[in-house]
Amino acid sequence: MLVSCLGDIMLDVIVDVPGGLVPDDDSPAHITFAAGGQAANVAAWVTAFGGLARLFGPRAQTGPGHLVDEALSAAGIEVHGPLTGRAGAVMSLVADGYRSLASDPGAPEWLDAVRPGAWLADADWLFVSGYALLRAAHPEHVLEVAEVARAAGTKVAVDLSSAAMIEDFGPPRFRELWQGLQPAVVLANEQEWEATSWGVSEHVGAFGAGGTSVLAIKQGSRGCTFVIDGITDHRPPVY
């Protein structure tokens, strides 16, 4: 299986503070640096499970961006996309059972270069990060990529990415954009799904009428709920 992923490529800084943060003092922590960004993470999981992955996103040949690019290539991910002047970074703070993210997407101009190309050829799936839709000055370029992919028989999946950003962007406009992708699979956590103004409890059971789409609601330690044609299938996490 070949999956082409569209979205951020970032330096991922994971800060795990088991005892929580101590104000104005040192806090024992385990800190990890890795290649990250939602699309890059999906590509990494695809290769980890034995699939092939291509990634279209911002590439920086200096500083942390250069290290990220090398790490992705070493993992067997085929990396495409324009060079940018400043790499993005995301810090994940894990403390007291919760995760908080601080994101700096870096230079956003790479989104203007989103077009169909060799990175999309013969893909079984196109994964689109919702961040690309939320940050693009011209999101119609992302819709064009999805249209070309579907015409070639490629299925589209989209992750809604961020409830807070959806609220700032405007839920009706964002819903119009991700629906314009005509996705076969939609991934979201409960907050992201509610932020699209559908409302989980009222409308989730009607999602995918006609068998056109599958909704996967990510629920953290509670597992994941899949919905299609009014049928809900909850799966607990596998440890």
Side-chain angles (χ1 to χ4, degrees):
M1 182 176 65
L2 172 59
V3 181
S4 292
C5 303
L6 170 61
D8 291 331
I9 301 174
M10 309 173 80
L11 175 66
D12 204 353
V13 183
I14 303 170
V15 183
D16 186 2
V17 190
L21 293 173
V22 180
D24 299 321
D25 207 339
D26 289 334
S27 302
H30 179 72
I31 301 175
T32 304
F33 295 88
Q38 189 176 68
N41 288 337
V42 170
W45 277 110
V46 169
T47 58
F49 280 102
L52 300 175
R54 297 192 191 121
L55 177 60
F56 187 98
R59 305 176 69 187
Q61 290 190 326
T62 59
H66 179 60
L67 300 176
V68 169
D69 199 83
E70 286 185 344
L72 292 170
S73 297
I77 299 168
E78 191 177 313
V79 185
H80 299 254
L83 297 178
T84 62
R86 187 169 66 88
V90 57
M91 188 194 76
S92 302
L93 176 63
V94 182
D96 299 324
Y98 293 92
R99 184 184 70 156
S100 298
L101 302 178
S103 299
D104 178 352
E109 290 80 9
W110 73 273
L111 286 160
D112 295 333
V114 172
R115 296 291 190 281
W119 68 277
L120 191 59
D122 302 319
D124 298 292
W125 283 89
L126 166 65
F127 171 82
V128 178
S129 169
Y131 289 116
L133 291 172
L134 290 162
R135 291 174 176 147
H138 303 285
E140 61 271 14
H141 293 168
V142 180
L143 298 184
E144 177 190 354
V145 167
E147 182 179 5
V148 170
R150 294 194 313 272
T154 300
K155 295 181 180 180
V156 178
V158 61
D159 193 301
L160 303 189
S161 299
S162 169
M165 290 181 66
I166 291 170
E167 293 287 359
D168 289 340
F169 185 88
R173 173 58 176 154
F174 183 67
R175 184 169 64 249
E176 178 184 349
L177 287 174
W178 72 255
Q179 288 180 331
L181 298 172
Q182 298 182 34
V185 173
V186 178
L187 302 108
N189 62 31
E190 291 170 306
Q191 293 76 23
E192 291 158 1
W193 183 247
E194 289 176 333
T196 65
S197 296
W198 287 54
V200 173
S201 60
E202 182 178 356
H203 297 286
V204 70
F207 186 82
T212 56
S213 299
V214 173
L215 171 64
I217 300 179
K218 299 173 288 184
Q219 297 167 305
S221 61
R222 291 181 287 127
C224 187
T225 296
F226 299 89
V227 183
I228 183 169
D229 288 345
I231 299 174
T232 299
D233 180 14
H234 178 75
R235 298 298 178 96
V238 177
Y239 295 104

